[in-house]
Every structure is written in C-alpha cells, then in structure tokens.
Amino acid sequence: FDASQQQNNKIGTMNGGMNGGFSTTASNEVGNVQNYNKEKAIAHLNAKAHNSSKKLCARYTTNAIQAAGVNIGQANATDMDPHLLRAGFKQLPLNTTPQPGDVMILNAVGGHQYGHMAMWNGQQWVSDFKQKGPNIWSDIPTSSLIGHIYRG
C-alpha cells in the first residue's frame, strides 16, 4: 500500500465515540520492545477476548502489550502506529504472513472511522473478540484494507 493511500484513509480515532475516547498522546514512559514477552501478550489477550466485538479493540490489544512488558500508552486504533514504532516495533506490509504476537492496525475505511487493532495468536486474529479473519467488516472488501503489521 502506498503512503498517500494510507494517509488519505487514516481518519478519526478508534472507539472514540463508543467509550468516551482515548487520548492520542502516549505515556512519556514508552516501553522498549526488547521487553516484549509475546507469549504473555497472547495469553492475556486470549483470556480477555469475548465471542463478539465490544468495540474496544485498541484497549484490549494495548492492555495485552502492556501486560507483556511494553507500555505503548493508550490511543485509538487508527492512531497507534507511532506508539508502536516509538516502542521499537517493526512496521511491515499488511500482507505479511503474521507470526505470534504480531499486531495489526487497520486504518479507517468507509464508515469505519476508527480503524481496527488486533494481535495474531498463532491461529487467529484476536482483539476484544476472537476474529474469523483479519477483516472484521462485512461491508468492506479485504482488498480495500489499508494498514500495517507490527512485529516486536
């Protein structure tokens, strides 16, 4: 995906209207990805995930990363890219084959102004719920998704 498409589609903030909003400013004490315990993050997220969305994908995913030793702060999903980069996560193309502990950020698209955030547990994408695939939006073709994978 090219940078201009990505920037043009990065609108709004994740969950802002549904849970009182998140600050888009991360904590000054951003953790270092060298402390990232992927297994702990996956276990935390798997234990907390529901069967259906609670519209709290960024909160659940960032909480799992924090439980795994890296404080990336709290923000809305579509605003998490710089937080992950600042912590030392490596940005990869969205079509990268995911590895356990990888984080996916989907930019805002269509009527989904807040984007989406999830983690690969080795078998499926998990956020605030256990997903059937990377695309959680039935009205958006997978080919229209714009975002990145982040690897710690």
Side-chain angles (χ1 to χ4, degrees), residues 17-135:
M18 293 170 228
N19 61 16
F22 287 126
S23 165
T24 58
T25 304
S27 163
N28 290 332
E29 298 179 22
V30 174
N32 187 314
V33 76
Q34 292 176 345
N35 300 326
Y36 185 47
N37 181 329
K38 297 172 190 176
E39 293 78 19
K40 192 171 184 179
I42 291 166
H44 179 91
L45 197 55
N46 283 340
K48 302 288 184 180
H50 303 274
N51 290 326
S52 62
S53 176
K54 303 297 178 195
K55 309 266 189 235
L56 297 170
C57 63
R59 181 174 294 175
Y60 277 64
T61 308
T62 56
N63 285 350
I65 294 167
Q66 286 180 276
V70 181
N71 179 10
I72 58 171
Q74 291 282 343
N76 300 303
T78 199
D79 294 325
M80 285 305 301
D81 300 80
H83 299 264
L84 290 161
L85 290 170
R86 195 167 36 250
F89 282 78
K90 182 180 177 185
Q91 187 180 68
L92 302 168
L94 187 58
N95 64 355
T96 300
T97 300
Q99 295 178 6
D102 282 358
V103 177
M104 173 180 63
I105 302 289
L106 297 179
N107 293 353
V109 62
H112 307 284
Q113 65 179 339
Y114 305 120
H116 184 63
M117 182 177 190
M119 182 181 293
W120 181 252
N121 71 2
Q123 298 179 333
Q124 68 188 122
W125 290 104
V126 181
S127 55
D128 55 332
F129 71 106
K130 295 177 181 175
Q131 302 174 201
K132 293 184 171 132
N135 185 358

